[in-house]
Amino acid sequence: MTKKQTLSKILLYYKFQPISDPDAVRLWQKELCERLGLRGRILISEHGINGTVGGPIDACKEYAKRTKEYFRGIEYKWSEGGAEDFPRLSVKARDEIVAFGAPGELKVDDNGVIGGGVHLKPEEVNKMVEERGDEVVFFDGRNAMEAEIGKFKNAVVPDVNTTHDFIRELESGKYDWMKDKPVISYCTGGIRCEILSALMKNRGFEEVYQIDGGIVRYGEKYGNDGLWEGSLYVFDKRMHTEFGQGVEDPGFIQLGHCKCGKPTNKFENCINEDECRQQTLMCEDCAAHIETRHCGRPECEKVAAQLAAQLGAGA
Ligand SMILES: [Zn+2]
Ligand SMILES: [Zn+2]
């Protein structure tokens, strides 16, 4: 059987630039996507645009061209997939395109975020670590959960459930020891660190960097042979992806583990869905059985045991 040819694509992009009327841009983007039959998620604020859309390849090309007329210099990342990867089209105007809870603090001009960290290309990241060694601190700009399956070597992973928690963390004093060190902030595709690095500099971190294109671009360049360790959490049905030859790669380092101790990179929902929103690493065995399909917290373990008993009795 031959592999079905892909005639659809997914586009990922963001651009920071001042938008005086976000709602007008929202209407234009919505009409454009509807006309082209694209689905996905687009957020617009007075600071810019952040989106992921999927659909027929010709429609994606047309969308990219039209959108670039307004968002000059926008860069697109093309990825496998299509409209079917999204439940619907959602185009919204919000206070922020990434919810840090700091809409008033973020300043942008036509060159992007003002006062953000210095951009480093993947090879410049390695060069800095070669030259300055252990002095360099990697600072994870994602949710702590994402780092459970992959992160930069010796990275500091802040205690955050959502990007909203970053300001509290940065102001907690926990990270003051790195304020005079070279800090390389990183996130999946780079957008979160555009903002995070500016928030850090505003709070006294003197030497802050960010990686051009984020972990994605670094991983494309170095695979499992650089400073990245493990898998990359992604926000689509796959949930995670690996670089190079994947988990079979001799350089791959397995970071993620199930509560039972088995290695896994797969996040699942806890079975106690009504009360627990925790996505948790689960091996196939634990995910396949009701009594073990929980996040590990005692209350969820109890609910799982009760459910298993009920279903067992009914069978
Ligand atoms: Zn397990
Ligand atoms: Zn739970």
Side-chain angles (χ1 to χ4, degrees):
M1 211 168 79
T2 54
K3 208 177 161 205
K4 204 177 138 199
Q5 206 184 348
T6 316
L7 296 167
S8 290
K9 284 280 179 190
I10 291 177
L11 280 177
L12 299 93
Y13 53 89
Y14 68 83
K15 175 89 192 330
F16 287 96
Q17 82 178 36
I19 297 176
S20 54
D21 190 348
D23 203 50
V25 174
R26 178 186 69 80
L27 284 171
W28 161 59
Q29 282 281 311
K30 187 166 179 282
E31 279 167 19
L32 180 61
C33 290
E34 281 171 352
R35 178 166 66 78
L36 293 168
L38 298 173
R39 278 197 224 162
R41 266 174 60 84
I42 301 172
L43 286 178
I44 296 146
S45 78
E46 59 180 27
H47 310 117
I49 187 168
N50 175 20
T52 312
V53 295
I57 191 159
D58 286 344
C60 285
K61 281 182 182 167
E62 178 71 8
Y63 173 83
K65 197 175 136 203
R66 294 278 161 248
T67 299
K68 203 168 200 158
E69 285 168 8
Y70 182 80
F71 293 99
R72 296 196 182 276
I74 193 168
E75 285 177 32
Y76 298 101
K77 208 172 154 34
W78 294 77
S79 154
E80 297 305 318
E84 66 281 4
D85 288 297
F86 304 93
R88 68 187 75 84
L89 173 69
S90 159
V91 187
K92 287 180 176 145
R94 289 269 171 83
D95 284 346
E96 298 177 291
I97 52 174
V98 187
F100 276 89
E105 187 177 335
L106 185 66
K107 299 279 180 277
V108 301
D109 65 16
D110 289 331
N111 297 316
V113 174
I114 299 170
V118 175
H119 286 258
L120 297 178
K121 294 191 173 65
E123 51 272 31
E124 291 172 321
V125 171
N126 283 15
K127 195 163 163 257
M128 182 169 292
V129 173
E130 260 166 47
E131 287 172 1
R132 302 176 70 175
D134 291 344
E135 197 198 352
V136 180
V137 181
F138 284 103
F139 191 77
D140 204 304
R142 304 172 299 162
N143 305 328
M145 179 195 101
E146 297 171 58
E148 287 177 24
I149 58 170
K151 59 185 176 61
F152 273 95
K153 198 169 190 257
N154 299 324
V156 171
V157 180
D159 183 19
V160 298
N161 287 318
T162 74
T163 42
H164 245 281
D165 299 334
F166 268 108
I167 289 183
R168 183 204 66 208
E169 279 291 290
L170 293 175
E171 293 177 351
S172 70
K174 278 194 254 179
Y175 311 100
D176 287 359
W177 59 272
M178 60 172 85
K179 281 189 169 171
D180 61 352
K181 293 188 185 301
V183 178
I184 304 179
S185 64
Y186 66 88
C187 58
T188 314
I191 184 170
R192 286 180 275 183
C193 288
E194 297 269 7
I195 302 166
L196 176 63
S197 64
L199 299 179
M200 291 178 84
K201 285 179 69 184
N202 289 350
R203 283 161 183 76
F205 294 81
E206 288 164 17
E207 194 181 348
V208 185
Y209 301 89
Q210 54 183 320
I211 305 175
D212 257 349
I215 301 159
V216 170
R217 195 165 300 162
Y218 185 91
E220 284 169 358
K221 170 95 184 171
Y222 289 107
N224 297 301
D225 302 319
L227 299 165
W228 178 259
E229 296 180 338
S231 304
L232 172 62
Y233 183 90
V234 290
F235 293 85
D236 59 40
K237 285 188 295 200
R238 295 171 300 163
M239 301 292 283
H240 65 91
T241 183
E242 283 75 35
F243 298 115
Q245 300 157 50
V247 295
E248 306 300 329
D249 200 314
F252 179 79
I253 295 171
Q254 177 73 45
L255 293 189
H257 286 91
C258 179
K259 60 183 178 293
C260 73
K262 279 188 206 147
T264 180
N265 298 323
K266 187 106 199 294
F267 284 96
E268 305 276 0
N269 291 317
C270 176
I271 196 151
N272 186 17
E273 283 179 285
D274 293 343
E275 286 149 35
C276 181
R277 284 294 159 98
Q278 194 79 37
Q279 279 201 328
T280 185
L281 281 173
M282 257 185 243
C283 71
E284 264 179 52
D285 282 349
C286 287
H289 299 99
I290 294 166
E291 58 269 42
T292 50
R293 199 184 158 81
H294 60 80
C295 67
R297 295 192 305 159
E299 57 268 44
C300 295
E301 190 175 354
K302 215 171 120 193
V303 169
Q306 282 165 355
L307 275 171
Q310 277 169 19
L311 285 167

